[in-house]
Amino acid sequence: MGRDPGLPKRKVCVTFDPCDARAMPPFLLRWLLKLGVLLLAVGAGFALALSVMREKPPLTPDPAALVEQIREVARLETLQVRLYKRVSFAPKPGPAGTVWGDVFNWVKQTVAAKAGRALVFADVSLGLDLTKLTVDQVRVSGARIELALPPLKANVSLRPEDTEVIDSNLDSAQTAKLFELAKDAFEREVQADAALQARARASAERQVRALLLTVGFKEVVFVPWPMSARAG
């Protein structure tokens, strides 16, 4: 339907077009300009930080200082276990030097033989033998490090307060020998326990790897000990 030419013209309302900069209020235009400058500055800063990270120079750590850091971490990371063992000891009579002396020793051993049995408890710590960790066992190539961790070593501490003497007529020297045998037995048992060895080595490797990644290395490789010299 057409408009009646006799009717008065209606007012036309102009809506605000945000895309038309001329129609924007001055305060809004200034605010948008400031926001744009801020975003550009943030983007430039992020790009600069990213380029610096990508162009990070290769690591050149001091091998001696690095080995000392590894020692400190490995010294704290040891596997602790408590064990007990029944131990027996019967000393053999030594030669008396004379026929009658040998006869006397035989009679004494037959009538009142020396023997002792005890239930011995001990705390055992199993960790890396740090005396064998040297700079020769470290090889650095850029962000990659190869490391030969030394063998594990068991340290045994007997617990006399928990030890129970079952039967003994040993003197003090012979009793000390009984406990020495018990300590040796604990060490052999731990060194022969493949499961304990694997747990202790995995724990040490995990802590050393975490240290080296924190230092800045990207790849940490554990190789068999001792590390062979590189050809050429």
Side-chain angles (χ1 to χ4, degrees), residues 14 17 21 29 46 70 86 93 144 154 209 212 214:
V14 179
D17 184 2
L29 182 58
F46 179 77
I70 295 172
R86 189 185 298 268
R144 171 189 170 95
R209 184 188 301 276
L212 296 175
T214 303

Side-chain angles (χ1 to χ4, degrees), residues 87-89 116-118 170 174-182:
V87 184
S88 301
F89 176 62
R117 292 183 303 156
L170 303 176
Q174 293 166 340
T175 301
K177 183 65 176 178
L178 173 67
F179 291 143
E180 181 182 341
L181 292 175

Side-chain angles (χ1 to χ4, degrees), residues 61 139 157 170:
R139 184 179 296 154
S157 299
L170 303 176

